[in-house]
Amino acid sequence: MTAGEKTRALTEWALFTSLAVIVGLAGIYFPPFYLPAAVCFPVPFILLVVRLDSRYGLAGLTVAGLLIAAAVPVKMAALVLVLQDGLLGMLYGLLFKNRVPSGRIISAGIAVSVVLAFSSAGLIYGATGANPFILDQESRQLAGQWLHTGRLSGGTNGVPAELSGFSGENIVTLFETLLPGQFVVTSAATGAVVFFIGRMALRRYDFYIPPAASFTGIYLPWYSIWGLIFGLGLILAGDFFSLQPAAKTGMNILFVLFYVYLVLGFSVAAYFFLKVRLARPLKVFLLFTAFVYFPFSVAILLFLGAIDPLVNFRRFPVVKE
């Protein structure tokens, strides 16, 4: 590497590292911006790894983490940001640089994002003793007040009588029970968003990126149905043998599968919506009807998502396992 190339590399390293520090501090000091900051924080490290190499990316992540930790009162926030989002950027950078197919990149990114999120939760619990999956008394009170305000403002109008009588305490308990599942869904969504933002950033630098997988081509293998069976089995076993951990685990599995099947069902519906030749006014009418009867549409999408791994509606070639 010539002197000019070294100067350019150091300049880019300083620029991207500074950008990461600014984004990280904005997310920590301004809570409403934390979610945008979480999906933007990995991008500078993706660019560092791709444009330079992993050594620059790791050095930038280390320096950014130290600077953020020095500027915030809660050091754990900086550590979680580096562990959960910074390492995800490093992974995406390595995968993009090695030109791994886009489908495998996003699958690996989502999986690692979930693992890093739970690792961060474990780190918080080990360092502070605070369990991220248990609501403290203050959080319970805030949730109860929010539900009470919703009822007073007519937020439960139109809700069936048997559900409107469901106590606020039971709703808060259900919310707490499903916290691990919400954690999985949120971290997976974050990993997917980071993938697309990283792609857009790399395109601006004219870096070759493998074609993105088509949304209408999303599919699950037939044996994924065992996830649904396992979740239902845990709930039944938990209720029958009074095993609360088993029942809670099953409920969280079904909660995650709800979003998985919803996305898969939407992929199936979009495939046929685009493939079947219908008059444009008829397609507009179908979309309008689906929007008007939204709960029914969601039920149809869930049905398509749950059945497609077994039926293979789109007749994709079966990959021998």
Side-chain angles (χ1 to χ4, degrees):
M1 184 180 290
T2 64
E5 291 175 339
K6 289 183 178 180
T7 301
R8 181 188 63 81
L10 290 175
T11 301
E12 288 191 6
W13 177 85
L15 175 63
F16 290 134
T17 302
S18 301
L19 181 61
V21 171
I22 294 172
V23 171
L25 290 176
I28 294 175
Y29 276 109
F30 303 100
F33 294 101
Y34 184 81
L35 185 58
V39 297
C40 292
F41 185 77
V43 176
F45 306 109
I46 295 176
L47 295 173
L48 280 175
V49 173
V50 171
R51 290 182 59 80
L52 301 175
D53 58 48
S54 57
R55 294 172 299 175
Y56 284 91
L58 186 59
L61 181 60
T62 303
V63 171
L66 292 174
L67 291 176
I68 294 174
V72 298
V74 183
K75 311 304 178 186
M76 184 58 63
L79 184 58
V80 169
L81 189 66
V82 170
L83 175 63
Q84 186 170 336
D85 300 313
L87 292 181
L88 180 62
M90 293 287 297
L91 171 71
Y92 272 133
L94 290 172
L95 294 176
F96 277 123
K97 189 165 188 175
N98 287 280
R99 301 188 177 184
V100 175
S102 294
R104 294 183 180 180
I105 293 178
I106 191 171
S107 299
I110 289 175
V112 171
S113 180
V114 173
V115 172
L116 291 175
F118 276 97
S119 299
S120 300
L123 180 64
I124 293 174
Y125 180 73
T128 65
N131 191 339
F133 304 125
I134 296 179
L135 296 176
D136 55 23
Q137 191 61 32
E138 182 180 357
S139 299
R140 283 180 168 273
Q141 291 177 353
L142 288 174
Q145 293 174 1
W146 179 78
L147 289 172
H148 182 66
T149 303
R151 287 178 176 176
L152 292 178
S153 62
T156 57
N157 292 342
V159 177
E162 61 272 16
L163 295 181
S164 62
F166 203 57
S167 70
E169 182 63 28
N170 289 336
I171 295 177
V172 173
T173 300
L174 179 62
F175 176 81
E176 183 181 52
T177 300
L178 297 176
L179 276 177
Q182 298 174 53
F183 212 63
V184 171
V185 172
T186 303
S187 56
T190 299
V193 173
V194 171
F195 167 79
F196 289 108
I197 294 178
R199 279 181 59 92
M200 289 189 295
L202 291 173
R203 282 186 179 279
R204 293 187 63 86
Y205 284 95
D206 295 327
F207 182 80
Y208 170 77
I209 300 175
S214 171
F215 176 75
T216 57
I218 297 175
Y219 73 96
L220 290 177
W222 67 267
Y223 49 80
S224 62
I225 196 66
W226 284 106
L228 178 61
I229 297 173
F230 186 61
L232 290 172
L234 285 177
I235 293 177
L236 294 175
D239 290 341
F240 186 80
F241 297 106
S242 299
L243 299 174
Q244 283 298 110
K248 289 183 177 180
T249 301
M251 291 175 65
N252 279 279
I253 291 176
L254 295 186
F255 180 83
V256 173
L257 288 177
F258 170 86
Y259 290 94
V260 173
Y261 289 147
L262 192 62
V263 172
L264 182 58
F266 190 66
S267 173
V268 174
Y271 174 86
F272 286 106
F273 184 81
L274 295 174
K275 185 173 183 177
V276 176
R277 294 183 178 180
L278 296 174
R280 186 179 296 273
L282 181 56
K283 287 191 173 184
V284 172
F285 174 76
L286 290 175
L287 288 176
F288 177 76
T289 304
F291 179 77
V292 171
Y293 297 98
F294 186 74
F296 180 73
S297 301
V298 170
I300 294 296
L301 293 178
L302 288 174
F303 174 78
L304 291 175
I307 299 300
D308 183 68
L310 297 176
V311 178
N312 190 10
F313 288 111
R314 293 164 288 183
R315 295 296 182 264
F316 288 151
V318 178
V319 180
K320 293 183 178 180
E321 302 294 339

Short mmCIF file of all heavy atoms in Angstrom, two decimals, residues 39-40 42-44 46-47 50 89 92-93 95-97 99-107 190-214:
data_model
loop_
_atom_site.label_atom_id
_atom_site.label_comp_id
_atom_site.label_asym_id
_atom_site.label_seq_id
_atom_site.Cartn_x
_atom_site.Cartn_y
_atom_site.Cartn_z
N VAL A 39 -30.15 0.72 13.76
CA VAL A 39 -30.06 0.15 12.42
C VAL A 39 -29.04 0.89 11.56
O VAL A 39 -28.62 0.36 10.51
CB VAL A 39 -31.43 0.14 11.72
CG1 VAL A 39 -32.40 -0.75 12.48
CG2 VAL A 39 -31.99 1.54 11.58
N CYS A 40 -28.63 2.09 11.98
CA CYS A 40 -27.63 2.85 11.21
C CYS A 40 -26.22 2.66 11.76
O CYS A 40 -25.24 2.82 11.02
CB CYS A 40 -27.97 4.34 11.21
SG CYS A 40 -29.46 4.75 10.28
N PRO A 42 -24.45 -0.02 12.52
CA PRO A 42 -23.58 -1.02 11.87
C PRO A 42 -23.06 -0.60 10.50
O PRO A 42 -22.06 -1.15 10.03
CB PRO A 42 -24.49 -2.25 11.74
CG PRO A 42 -25.62 -2.03 12.69
CD PRO A 42 -25.81 -0.55 12.72
N VAL A 43 -23.72 0.36 9.84
CA VAL A 43 -23.38 0.68 8.45
C VAL A 43 -21.94 1.16 8.28
O VAL A 43 -21.24 0.72 7.35
CB VAL A 43 -24.38 1.70 7.88
CG1 VAL A 43 -23.99 2.11 6.46
CG2 VAL A 43 -25.79 1.12 7.88
N PRO A 44 -21.42 2.08 9.12
CA PRO A 44 -20.02 2.49 8.94
C PRO A 44 -19.04 1.33 9.01
O PRO A 44 -18.03 1.32 8.28
CB PRO A 44 -19.79 3.47 10.10
CG PRO A 44 -21.14 4.00 10.42
CD PRO A 44 -22.08 2.86 10.20
N ILE A 46 -19.75 -1.81 8.15
CA ILE A 46 -19.90 -2.55 6.88
C ILE A 46 -19.02 -1.91 5.82
O ILE A 46 -18.29 -2.60 5.09
CB ILE A 46 -21.38 -2.54 6.43
CG1 ILE A 46 -22.25 -3.31 7.42
CG2 ILE A 46 -21.51 -3.14 5.03
CD1 ILE A 46 -23.73 -3.26 7.09
N LEU A 47 -19.06 -0.58 5.74
CA LEU A 47 -18.27 0.12 4.73
C LEU A 47 -16.78 -0.01 5.01
O LEU A 47 -15.97 -0.15 4.07
CB LEU A 47 -18.67 1.60 4.71
CG LEU A 47 -20.12 1.87 4.26
CD1 LEU A 47 -20.45 3.35 4.43
CD2 LEU A 47 -20.32 1.45 2.81
N VAL A 50 -15.69 -3.57 3.95
CA VAL A 50 -15.76 -3.79 2.50
C VAL A 50 -14.73 -2.94 1.77
O VAL A 50 -14.01 -3.44 0.89
CB VAL A 50 -17.18 -3.49 1.99
CG1 VAL A 50 -17.21 -3.50 0.47
CG2 VAL A 50 -18.17 -4.51 2.54
N GLY A 89 -22.60 -5.35 12.11
CA GLY A 89 -22.02 -4.65 10.96
C GLY A 89 -20.76 -5.32 10.46
O GLY A 89 -20.54 -5.42 9.25
N TYR A 92 -21.88 -8.45 8.46
CA TYR A 92 -22.40 -8.10 7.14
C TYR A 92 -21.27 -7.65 6.21
O TYR A 92 -21.28 -7.96 5.01
CB TYR A 92 -23.45 -7.00 7.27
CG TYR A 92 -24.85 -7.51 7.50
CD1 TYR A 92 -25.66 -6.95 8.48
CD2 TYR A 92 -25.38 -8.52 6.72
CE1 TYR A 92 -26.96 -7.41 8.70
CE2 TYR A 92 -26.67 -8.99 6.93
CZ TYR A 92 -27.44 -8.43 7.91
OH TYR A 92 -28.72 -8.89 8.10
N GLY A 93 -20.32 -6.89 6.75
CA GLY A 93 -19.21 -6.44 5.93
C GLY A 93 -18.42 -7.60 5.36
O GLY A 93 -18.07 -7.62 4.17
N LEU A 95 -19.48 -10.70 4.90
CA LEU A 95 -20.29 -11.45 3.95
C LEU A 95 -20.42 -10.71 2.62
O LEU A 95 -20.34 -11.33 1.54
CB LEU A 95 -21.68 -11.71 4.54
CG LEU A 95 -21.72 -12.63 5.77
CD1 LEU A 95 -23.13 -12.71 6.33
CD2 LEU A 95 -21.21 -14.02 5.42
N PHE A 96 -20.63 -9.40 2.69
CA PHE A 96 -20.70 -8.62 1.44
C PHE A 96 -19.37 -8.66 0.70
O PHE A 96 -19.35 -8.79 -0.53
CB PHE A 96 -21.08 -7.18 1.75
CG PHE A 96 -22.55 -6.94 1.93
CD1 PHE A 96 -23.04 -6.39 3.10
CD2 PHE A 96 -23.45 -7.26 0.93
CE1 PHE A 96 -24.40 -6.17 3.28
CE2 PHE A 96 -24.81 -7.04 1.09
CZ PHE A 96 -25.28 -6.50 2.27
N LYS A 97 -18.28 -8.54 1.43
CA LYS A 97 -16.97 -8.49 0.78
C LYS A 97 -16.64 -9.80 0.09
O LYS A 97 -15.99 -9.82 -0.96
CB LYS A 97 -15.89 -8.14 1.81
CG LYS A 97 -14.53 -7.87 1.18
CD LYS A 97 -13.60 -7.19 2.16
CE LYS A 97 -12.32 -6.75 1.47
NZ LYS A 97 -11.43 -5.98 2.38
N ARG A 99 -18.81 -11.66 -1.22
CA ARG A 99 -19.82 -11.84 -2.27
C ARG A 99 -20.65 -13.10 -2.08
O ARG A 99 -20.91 -13.87 -3.02
CB ARG A 99 -19.17 -11.82 -3.65
CG ARG A 99 -18.42 -10.52 -3.89
CD ARG A 99 -17.92 -10.36 -5.30
NE ARG A 99 -17.27 -9.06 -5.46
CZ ARG A 99 -16.79 -8.59 -6.61
NH1 ARG A 99 -16.91 -9.33 -7.71
NH2 ARG A 99 -16.21 -7.41 -6.68
N VAL A 100 -21.05 -13.30 -0.85
CA VAL A 100 -21.96 -14.39 -0.52
C VAL A 100 -23.33 -14.05 -1.11
O VAL A 100 -23.72 -12.88 -1.15
CB VAL A 100 -22.04 -14.56 1.01
CG1 VAL A 100 -23.07 -15.62 1.39
CG2 VAL A 100 -20.67 -14.90 1.57
N PRO A 101 -24.09 -15.03 -1.61
CA PRO A 101 -25.42 -14.75 -2.15
C PRO A 101 -26.29 -13.99 -1.15
O PRO A 101 -26.23 -14.24 0.06
CB PRO A 101 -25.98 -16.14 -2.45
CG PRO A 101 -24.76 -16.98 -2.70
CD PRO A 101 -23.70 -16.45 -1.78
N SER A 102 -27.09 -13.09 -1.66
CA SER A 102 -27.88 -12.21 -0.80
C SER A 102 -28.81 -12.97 0.13
O SER A 102 -29.01 -12.57 1.28
CB SER A 102 -28.70 -11.23 -1.66
OG SER A 102 -27.85 -10.36 -2.37
N GLY A 103 -29.40 -14.05 -0.35
CA GLY A 103 -30.30 -14.83 0.50
C GLY A 103 -29.59 -15.37 1.73
O GLY A 103 -30.13 -15.36 2.83
N ARG A 104 -28.37 -15.86 1.53
CA ARG A 104 -27.61 -16.39 2.66
C ARG A 104 -27.14 -15.27 3.58
O ARG A 104 -27.05 -15.45 4.79
CB ARG A 104 -26.41 -17.18 2.15
CG ARG A 104 -26.80 -18.44 1.38
CD ARG A 104 -25.57 -19.24 0.96
NE ARG A 104 -25.95 -20.44 0.23
CZ ARG A 104 -25.07 -21.32 -0.26
NH1 ARG A 104 -23.77 -21.11 -0.09
NH2 ARG A 104 -25.50 -22.38 -0.90
N ILE A 105 -26.84 -14.10 2.99
CA ILE A 105 -26.40 -12.98 3.81
C ILE A 105 -27.49 -12.56 4.78
O ILE A 105 -27.27 -12.42 6.00
CB ILE A 105 -25.98 -11.78 2.93
CG1 ILE A 105 -24.71 -12.11 2.14
CG2 ILE A 105 -25.72 -10.55 3.79
CD1 ILE A 105 -24.27 -11.00 1.21
N ILE A 106 -28.69 -12.35 4.26
CA ILE A 106 -29.76 -11.86 5.13
C ILE A 106 -30.19 -12.94 6.13
O ILE A 106 -30.52 -12.63 7.29
CB ILE A 106 -30.97 -11.38 4.29
CG1 ILE A 106 -31.96 -10.63 5.19
CG2 ILE A 106 -31.65 -12.51 3.56
CD1 ILE A 106 -33.05 -9.93 4.44
N SER A 107 -30.13 -14.21 5.72
CA SER A 107 -30.48 -15.28 6.66
C SER A 107 -29.48 -15.34 7.80
O SER A 107 -29.86 -15.44 8.98
CB SER A 107 -30.52 -16.63 5.93
OG SER A 107 -31.51 -16.63 4.91
N THR A 190 -34.55 -5.94 12.91
CA THR A 190 -33.40 -5.05 12.87
C THR A 190 -32.32 -5.59 11.95
O THR A 190 -31.73 -4.84 11.15
CB THR A 190 -32.83 -4.87 14.30
OG1 THR A 190 -33.84 -4.29 15.14
CG2 THR A 190 -31.60 -3.96 14.28
N GLY A 191 -32.05 -6.88 12.05
CA GLY A 191 -31.04 -7.49 11.17
C GLY A 191 -31.41 -7.36 9.70
O GLY A 191 -30.55 -7.10 8.86
N ALA A 192 -32.70 -7.52 9.38
CA ALA A 192 -33.14 -7.38 7.99
C ALA A 192 -33.00 -5.95 7.50
O ALA A 192 -32.54 -5.70 6.37
CB ALA A 192 -34.59 -7.86 7.85
N VAL A 193 -33.39 -4.99 8.33
CA VAL A 193 -33.30 -3.58 7.94
C VAL A 193 -31.84 -3.17 7.73
O VAL A 193 -31.51 -2.45 6.77
CB VAL A 193 -33.98 -2.68 8.99
CG1 VAL A 193 -33.73 -1.21 8.69
CG2 VAL A 193 -35.48 -2.95 9.03
N VAL A 194 -30.95 -3.63 8.60
CA VAL A 194 -29.52 -3.32 8.45
C VAL A 194 -29.00 -3.87 7.13
O VAL A 194 -28.20 -3.22 6.45
CB VAL A 194 -28.72 -3.90 9.64
CG1 VAL A 194 -27.21 -3.78 9.38
CG2 VAL A 194 -29.08 -3.17 10.92
N PHE A 195 -29.47 -5.04 6.74
CA PHE A 195 -29.05 -5.63 5.47
C PHE A 195 -29.39 -4.71 4.30
O PHE A 195 -28.54 -4.43 3.44
CB PHE A 195 -29.73 -6.99 5.28
CG PHE A 195 -29.63 -7.55 3.90
CD1 PHE A 195 -28.46 -8.16 3.46
CD2 PHE A 195 -30.70 -7.46 3.02
CE1 PHE A 195 -28.37 -8.68 2.17
CE2 PHE A 195 -30.61 -7.97 1.73
CZ PHE A 195 -29.45 -8.58 1.31
N PHE A 196 -30.61 -4.21 4.26
CA PHE A 196 -31.03 -3.38 3.14
C PHE A 196 -30.36 -2.00 3.17
O PHE A 196 -30.00 -1.46 2.12
CB PHE A 196 -32.55 -3.23 3.13
CG PHE A 196 -33.27 -4.49 2.75
CD1 PHE A 196 -33.97 -5.23 3.70
CD2 PHE A 196 -33.23 -4.95 1.45
CE1 PHE A 196 -34.62 -6.39 3.35
CE2 PHE A 196 -33.88 -6.12 1.08
CZ PHE A 196 -34.58 -6.84 2.04
N ILE A 197 -30.17 -1.44 4.36
CA ILE A 197 -29.46 -0.16 4.44
C ILE A 197 -28.01 -0.34 4.00
O ILE A 197 -27.44 0.50 3.29
CB ILE A 197 -29.53 0.40 5.87
CG1 ILE A 197 -30.97 0.76 6.23
CG2 ILE A 197 -28.65 1.64 6.01
CD1 ILE A 197 -31.14 1.28 7.63
N GLY A 198 -27.39 -1.44 4.42
CA GLY A 198 -26.01 -1.72 4.00
C GLY A 198 -25.89 -1.88 2.49
O GLY A 198 -24.94 -1.39 1.87
N ARG A 199 -26.87 -2.56 1.88
CA ARG A 199 -26.87 -2.69 0.42
C ARG A 199 -26.93 -1.33 -0.26
O ARG A 199 -26.19 -1.06 -1.21
CB ARG A 199 -28.07 -3.54 -0.03
CG ARG A 199 -27.87 -5.03 0.09
CD ARG A 199 -29.11 -5.77 -0.39
NE ARG A 199 -29.40 -5.44 -1.78
CZ ARG A 199 -28.95 -6.14 -2.83
NH1 ARG A 199 -28.16 -7.18 -2.62
NH2 ARG A 199 -29.28 -5.79 -4.06
N MET A 200 -27.82 -0.46 0.24
CA MET A 200 -27.95 0.86 -0.38
C MET A 200 -26.67 1.67 -0.22
O MET A 200 -26.25 2.38 -1.15
CB MET A 200 -29.14 1.60 0.26
CG MET A 200 -30.48 1.04 -0.13
SD MET A 200 -31.88 2.07 0.42
CE MET A 200 -31.71 1.92 2.20
N ALA A 201 -26.03 1.57 0.94
CA ALA A 201 -24.78 2.31 1.16
C ALA A 201 -23.68 1.81 0.24
O ALA A 201 -22.92 2.60 -0.33
CB ALA A 201 -24.36 2.18 2.63
N LEU A 202 -23.58 0.50 0.06
CA LEU A 202 -22.54 -0.06 -0.80
C LEU A 202 -22.79 0.28 -2.27
O LEU A 202 -21.84 0.46 -3.04
CB LEU A 202 -22.47 -1.58 -0.61
CG LEU A 202 -21.92 -2.05 0.74
CD1 LEU A 202 -22.04 -3.55 0.88
CD2 LEU A 202 -20.46 -1.63 0.90
N ARG A 203 -24.05 0.35 -2.66
CA ARG A 203 -24.36 0.72 -4.04
C ARG A 203 -23.88 2.13 -4.36
O ARG A 203 -23.46 2.42 -5.49
CB ARG A 203 -25.86 0.61 -4.30
CG ARG A 203 -26.35 -0.82 -4.51
CD ARG A 203 -27.81 -0.83 -4.91
NE ARG A 203 -28.30 -2.17 -5.15
CZ ARG A 203 -28.12 -2.86 -6.27
NH1 ARG A 203 -27.45 -2.30 -7.28
NH2 ARG A 203 -28.60 -4.08 -6.41
N ARG A 204 -23.94 3.02 -3.38
CA ARG A 204 -23.49 4.39 -3.61
C ARG A 204 -21.99 4.45 -3.84
O ARG A 204 -21.49 5.41 -4.43
CB ARG A 204 -23.87 5.28 -2.42
CG ARG A 204 -25.39 5.47 -2.27
CD ARG A 204 -25.71 6.49 -1.19
NE ARG A 204 -25.19 7.81 -1.53
CZ ARG A 204 -25.83 8.70 -2.27
NH1 ARG A 204 -27.02 8.42 -2.77
NH2 ARG A 204 -25.29 9.88 -2.51
N TYR A 205 -21.29 3.43 -3.38
CA TYR A 205 -19.84 3.35 -3.61
C TYR A 205 -19.51 2.43 -4.78
O TYR A 205 -18.35 2.03 -4.94
CB TYR A 205 -19.13 2.87 -2.35
CG TYR A 205 -19.01 3.94 -1.28
CD1 TYR A 205 -19.96 4.03 -0.26
CD2 TYR A 205 -17.96 4.85 -1.29
CE1 TYR A 205 -19.86 5.01 0.72
CE2 TYR A 205 -17.86 5.84 -0.31
CZ TYR A 205 -18.81 5.91 0.68
OH TYR A 205 -18.72 6.88 1.66
N ASP A 206 -20.52 2.09 -5.57
CA ASP A 206 -20.33 1.27 -6.78
C ASP A 206 -19.69 -0.08 -6.47
O ASP A 206 -18.90 -0.60 -7.28
CB ASP A 206 -19.49 2.03 -7.82
CG ASP A 206 -20.20 3.26 -8.32
OD1 ASP A 206 -21.44 3.24 -8.42
OD2 ASP A 206 -19.51 4.28 -8.59
N PHE A 207 -20.00 -0.63 -5.31
CA PHE A 207 -19.49 -1.96 -4.98
C PHE A 207 -20.44 -3.01 -5.53
O PHE A 207 -21.67 -2.87 -5.42
CB PHE A 207 -19.35 -2.11 -3.46
CG PHE A 207 -18.80 -3.44 -3.03
CD1 PHE A 207 -17.43 -3.68 -3.09
CD2 PHE A 207 -19.64 -4.45 -2.59
CE1 PHE A 207 -16.91 -4.91 -2.71
CE2 PHE A 207 -19.13 -5.68 -2.19
CZ PHE A 207 -17.76 -5.90 -2.25
N TYR A 208 -19.89 -4.06 -6.12
CA TYR A 208 -20.74 -5.11 -6.69
C TYR A 208 -21.49 -5.84 -5.57
O TYR A 208 -20.89 -6.28 -4.59
CB TYR A 208 -19.92 -6.12 -7.47
CG TYR A 208 -20.72 -7.34 -7.87
CD1 TYR A 208 -21.62 -7.29 -8.94
CD2 TYR A 208 -20.61 -8.53 -7.15
CE1 TYR A 208 -22.38 -8.40 -9.29
CE2 TYR A 208 -21.36 -9.64 -7.49
CZ TYR A 208 -22.24 -9.57 -8.56
OH TYR A 208 -22.99 -10.66 -8.89
N ILE A 209 -22.79 -5.95 -5.74
CA ILE A 209 -23.62 -6.65 -4.76
C ILE A 209 -24.43 -7.71 -5.50
O ILE A 209 -25.06 -7.41 -6.52
CB ILE A 209 -24.58 -5.67 -4.05
CG1 ILE A 209 -23.77 -4.59 -3.33
CG2 ILE A 209 -25.47 -6.39 -3.06
CD1 ILE A 209 -24.62 -3.52 -2.69
N PRO A 210 -24.43 -8.94 -5.01
CA PRO A 210 -25.24 -9.98 -5.66
C PRO A 210 -26.71 -9.57 -5.66
O PRO A 210 -27.18 -8.88 -4.76
CB PRO A 210 -25.02 -11.21 -4.77
CG PRO A 210 -23.72 -10.94 -4.07
CD PRO A 210 -23.65 -9.46 -3.88
N PRO A 211 -27.45 -9.94 -6.69
CA PRO A 211 -28.87 -9.58 -6.74
C PRO A 211 -29.62 -10.03 -5.50
O PRO A 211 -29.36 -11.12 -4.98
CB PRO A 211 -29.38 -10.31 -8.00
CG PRO A 211 -28.14 -10.55 -8.81
CD PRO A 211 -27.02 -10.75 -7.84
N ALA A 212 -30.50 -9.17 -5.03
CA ALA A 212 -31.28 -9.50 -3.84
C ALA A 212 -32.30 -10.58 -4.16
O ALA A 212 -32.83 -10.65 -5.27
CB ALA A 212 -31.98 -8.25 -3.31
N ALA A 213 -32.56 -11.42 -3.18
CA ALA A 213 -33.57 -12.46 -3.36
C ALA A 213 -34.94 -11.81 -3.51
O ALA A 213 -35.25 -10.82 -2.85
CB ALA A 213 -33.56 -13.41 -2.17
N SER A 214 -35.75 -12.38 -4.39
CA SER A 214 -37.08 -11.85 -4.62
C SER A 214 -37.98 -12.12 -3.41
O SER A 214 -37.96 -13.22 -2.83
CB SER A 214 -37.69 -12.48 -5.87
OG SER A 214 -39.04 -12.13 -6.00
#
